[in-house]
Structure formats: C-alpha cells, structure tokens
Amino acid sequence: RKKVSKDVEKLDIVKEAIESNNAGNIEKGQGYAGEVKGKYYGENDRFVYFDTPQAGVRGIKRDTLSKLKEFNGDVFKMISKYAPAGKGEYGVENPTGNYYKYLLNSVGNKEIITREDIPNLVRGIIEFENLPRAEESEEQKLIKNNRVKNYLSDEVFNEAMAWGEYDYPTGTTSEQMREDQITGEHRTQ
C-alpha cells in the first residue's frame, strides 16, 4: 500500500470541502434542507454534503438565524457556539477569538446584531471558514479563493438568502426550494 503525503491528504480535504457545497463546514445532525442524505466528509464523517452551493449557504443562514434568536444578537456568543474555543470532539482547535474579530468587521463592528445583519455575518463566516492558511500549497489557496468567489457570487448568495427565509423540512431538495421561489408557495415545517 502506497503511503499518501500529508499535503496530498490536505489537498483532498480541500477539494472534498468544495464538492460538498458546505461553505460553513456545517456538521451532520442539523437536518437542513438540501443536505445529501448519508453523504459526509472530514474526519469521522463530521460534515454534511449539500446538493447545491445555495443549499450550503442557506444552511449557514438558518444556523445563524437560530443563534441570533438564542443569543439576542450577541455576536460573541453566536460564534462561540458555532465554533467553540478549545479542542472539540474531533481534536480541532477553533480560533474563536480571531473568528469573532473577523465577524465583527463583517458586521460593521456591531457587537449586537439584528436580522438585517445576517447576510453580512454569513459572508464573514464563508470567508473565515475558507481563509487560505500559511501552510497550504498555492493550489490549495487557489481552490479556496475560487470556492469563496462561487459562494459569494450574486447568483448563489442571493438565491441562498431567499431560500433561507423559509423553514423547509428535512429532505427538501434545492430543486424543490427553487420551484417554491418561482411559484411563491413554500413547503414549510
């Protein structure tokens, strides 16, 4: 059996993250519309696949809307739950303090945000989750930069924000959400 280098493994993870349409590294167990049932990636199959980039971005919006309500718009508390400090269940160190500072900048340095700030918060999450790291190869950095451009393109981002206004049931596909936007009739929970 041939031994794979760490750089190749890291590149494979970056490529898989793109194919997953999961811009915010959303973990399994949430049941968001657009999730591909039974398809996961990352260590211990931690993260879900979405059927389109729009569904992945919508998942971030739905997640941040629930945290907005839970923490009355307190950005620090919201991100502390989204990416808790310290080593989590999978031994990954979250830079929660840096994440918080980055998101503050994304929302105009507001420590308490409202629903109107959610699109900017989602943009910040997408950017931070996909920031190229110093130790990554130029190819990995290019892949990540292209991933961010795709998720933040008007076509993907605006459709995702529209879909995120509705609480779709688990198992709803992107095709169904797109159809609902066209007809104006939304299947909700």
Side-chain angles (χ1 to χ4, degrees), residues 55-72:
V57 174
R58 177 198 175 272
I60 301 169
K61 180 176 181 176
R62 296 302 302 174
D63 191 72
T64 56
L65 284 172
S66 72
K67 288 173 179 52
L68 176 78
K69 184 177 179 181
E70 181 179 357
F71 298 113
N72 296 314

Side-chain angles (χ1 to χ4, degrees), residues 25 27 30 32 46 63-64 66-71 74-85 94 96 99-100 103 125 129:
N25 295 319
E27 296 181 0
Q30 310 290 327
Y32 288 119
R46 180 179 175 190
D63 191 72
T64 56
S66 72
K67 288 173 179 52
L68 176 78
K69 184 177 179 181
E70 181 179 357
F71 298 113
D74 185 313
V75 176
F76 183 77
K77 290 178 181 175
M78 291 169 70
I79 198 56
S80 293
K81 185 168 183 181
Y82 190 89
N94 277 321
T96 307
Y99 210 148
Y100 171 67
L103 292 182
I125 289 170
E129 289 287 338

Side-chain angles (χ1 to χ4, degrees), residues 27 43-44 46 86-92:
E27 296 181 0
E43 189 175 335
N44 298 318
R46 180 179 175 190
K87 290 192 178 186
E89 177 181 351
Y90 300 98
V92 175

Side-chain angles (χ1 to χ4, degrees), residues 24-44:
N25 295 319
I26 293 176
E27 296 181 0
K28 64 183 174 183
Q30 310 290 327
Y32 288 119
E35 284 185 25
V36 178
K37 187 176 179 163
K39 192 165 182 182
Y40 308 104
Y41 72 99
E43 189 175 335
N44 298 318

Side-chain angles (χ1 to χ4, degrees), residues 43-137:
E43 189 175 335
N44 298 318
D45 286 339
R46 180 179 175 190
F47 303 107
V48 299
Y49 271 74
F50 287 96
D51 60 359
T52 62
Q54 289 89 330
V57 174
R58 177 198 175 272
I60 301 169
K61 180 176 181 176
R62 296 302 302 174
D63 191 72
T64 56
L65 284 172
S66 72
K67 288 173 179 52
L68 176 78
K69 184 177 179 181
E70 181 179 357
F71 298 113
N72 296 314
D74 185 313
V75 176
F76 183 77
K77 290 178 181 175
M78 291 169 70
I79 198 56
S80 293
K81 185 168 183 181
Y82 190 89
K87 290 192 178 186
E89 177 181 351
Y90 300 98
V92 175
E93 185 76 37
N94 277 321
T96 307
N98 291 340
Y99 210 148
Y100 171 67
K101 290 174 189 171
Y102 193 91
L103 292 182
L104 272 184
N105 189 50
S106 297
V107 296
N109 291 312
K110 296 184 203 172
E111 293 180 1
I112 305 295
I113 62 170
T114 65
R115 188 178 179 93
E116 288 73 39
D117 297 304
I118 291 295
N120 288 330
L121 187 72
V122 170
R123 281 185 189 93
I125 289 170
I126 292 169
E127 290 169 356
F128 193 86
E129 289 287 338
N130 297 282
L131 284 172
R133 309 285 184 230
E135 70 274 6
E136 292 175 331
S137 71

